[in-house]
Amino acid sequence: MEFEHISVLLNETVDALEVKEGGLYLDGTLGGGGHSQAILERGGRVIGIDRDPNAIQAASERLKAYGDRFRAVRGNFHDVKMLIDEELDGAVLDLGVSSHQLDVRERGFSYHDNAPLDMRMDTDAPLTAANIVNEWSESEIARVIRDFGEENWAVQIARVICDRRKQAPIETTAQLVAIIDAAIPKKFRAKEGGAHPARRTFQALRIAVNDELDPLKDALFDIMDMLKTEGRLSVIAFHSLEDRIVKTAFRTMADPCTCPKNMPICVCGKKPVANIITRKPITASEEELTANPRARSATLRVAEKI
């Protein structure tokens, strides 16, 4: 299947970078290469990072016409300082799962299709969603579903998972969806506003499998440190947990002082490293939502190195 991905908030994200001719930009979540191509079209150079080998191959093919102005690196943007050592004019992160990963059934990201319970962005990584539901303790599974999925029925879902796996291993997405259906009473599923009852649990497992949240804050600070003065970092988040981390990190960059509020002068010595460009997050237009409903939950925040 061809790697296809519709880049969310494409123009808003790249406009915010204020791309300079010949400037070097990081696309830390390369995916299908949409943001990279937009930067290249505006005269920039791009280093694209992705942990998915299919994304690396597809984006490299798509962007080969730009020659040595584009370079793809397989890895995780969480390790950006180990992967590249250049000073950057700007960077973009499009967090979350790509359209292609959702649409390729065998990747196991979607609750709409029956597939192996995988959910790995890096297909060589050892941990899968099946490992979690079959091997982790009931309390650990409940914690993941509660903390990463913000699911009110996390304890009940974890309990049913552990009961069912005693009978046979849970190996497919359809098995897990059936378990979630059994754990959440029907009258409460009806109050989810049309959202699929498995959405939060699948989100939680995906985050756990790919370790998406814990290293994010440090990665944001690392990328900001790599930017030149007036370089900008654009970050697109897709759920409240990601967005909260980005929002908090940007606020800390802009106001890192740890002195008590009643102190007349700052004595901690911590200086701001960035200005927040987007006081309120940018969201998708109605036109974009019509063309790409997956943009509905996307929020864009931008900060500039000082």
Side-chain angles (χ1 to χ4, degrees):
M1 180 178 180
E2 183 180 353
F3 197 110
E4 295 181 355
H5 176 64
I6 302 173
S7 297
V8 171
L9 294 167
L10 176 62
N11 292 327
E12 295 88 343
T13 301
V14 179
D15 285 347
L17 293 179
E18 297 185 339
V19 176
K20 300 179 177 67
E21 184 79 25
L24 181 62
Y25 296 84
L26 171 70
D27 185 347
T29 46
L30 178 60
H35 288 107
S36 288
Q37 182 169 358
I39 294 169
L40 291 162
E41 287 174 346
R42 300 182 191 204
R45 296 176 293 130
V46 177
I47 300 172
I49 297 175
D50 206 290
R51 65 178 97 178
D52 187 337
N54 294 327
I56 293 290
Q57 180 180 358
S60 297
E61 178 63 26
R62 174 180 181 175
L63 303 174
K64 65 182 180 181
Y66 295 95
D68 60 7
R69 288 174 53 209
F70 172 74
R71 183 167 96 244
V73 178
R74 186 177 176 191
N76 192 323
F77 73 86
H78 297 161
D79 305 316
V80 62
K81 284 195 169 181
M82 292 186 286
L83 296 171
I84 61 174
D85 59 6
E86 289 98 327
E87 195 174 29
L88 303 168
D89 291 279
V92 57
L93 297 176
D94 181 353
L95 305 176
V97 65
S98 76
S99 302
H100 173 80
Q101 290 166 335
L102 285 170
D103 292 339
V104 176
R105 187 179 65 179
E106 57 266 28
R107 300 296 293 271
F109 286 102
S110 176
Y111 38 75
H112 294 297
D113 298 304
N114 190 21
L117 198 53
D118 193 319
M119 302 193 191
R120 291 174 297 172
M121 293 182 182
D122 180 349
T123 53
D124 293 331
L127 182 67
T128 69
N131 294 139
I132 293 176
V133 300
N134 288 296
E135 300 168 12
W136 289 19
S137 70
E138 182 176 326
S139 61
E140 288 175 319
I141 295 171
R143 177 190 60 79
V144 164
I145 297 173
R146 180 189 65 246
D147 293 352
F148 295 161
E150 300 180 297
E151 172 57 75
N152 294 330
W153 295 92
V155 171
Q156 291 82 352
I157 293 169
R159 183 179 302 130
V160 178
I161 285 173
C162 292
D163 286 343
R164 294 288 178 88
R165 74 187 188 187
K166 293 175 184 176
Q167 304 167 23
I170 302 165
E171 298 176 336
T172 69
T173 54
Q175 286 176 287
L176 183 57
V177 169
I179 286 169
I180 295 165
D181 282 341
I184 303 177
K186 186 175 181 180
K187 65 178 181 179
F188 292 100
R189 295 203 306 269
K191 294 180 180 180
E192 291 293 311
H196 196 288
R199 178 177 60 86
R200 290 175 176 167
T201 298
F202 271 64
Q203 171 186 296
L205 290 172
R206 190 203 80 221
I207 290 171
V209 166
N210 297 289
D211 193 19
E212 295 177 33
L213 295 184
D214 287 343
L216 177 56
K217 178 183 175 182
D218 288 343
L220 294 171
F221 277 88
D222 284 345
I223 293 171
M224 184 60 66
D225 187 52
M226 297 171 70
L227 294 180
K228 297 176 183 177
T229 300
E230 297 186 350
R232 289 187 173 185
L233 171 58
S234 296
V235 186
I236 305 168
F238 286 87
H239 54 76
S240 60
L241 298 173
E242 289 174 340
D243 185 57
R244 194 176 305 138
I245 292 171
V246 177
K247 179 181 179 180
T248 301
F250 281 3
R251 282 182 172 177
T252 302
M253 292 174 188
D255 183 15
C257 179
T258 55
C259 297
K261 296 300 181 184
N262 59 357
M263 290 283 288
I265 60 171
C266 172
V267 297
C268 72
K270 296 180 178 179
K271 303 298 182 183
V273 297
N275 288 323
I276 298 173
I277 302 301
T278 49
R279 289 298 166 180
K280 292 184 178 180
I282 297 171
T283 57
S285 66
E286 287 301 321
E287 182 180 1
E288 180 172 4
L289 291 175
T290 300
N292 183 18
R294 287 174 177 166
R296 186 165 302 280
S297 60
T299 55
L300 169 64
R301 296 184 185 271
V302 184
E304 181 180 86
K305 178 80 169 283
I306 59 176

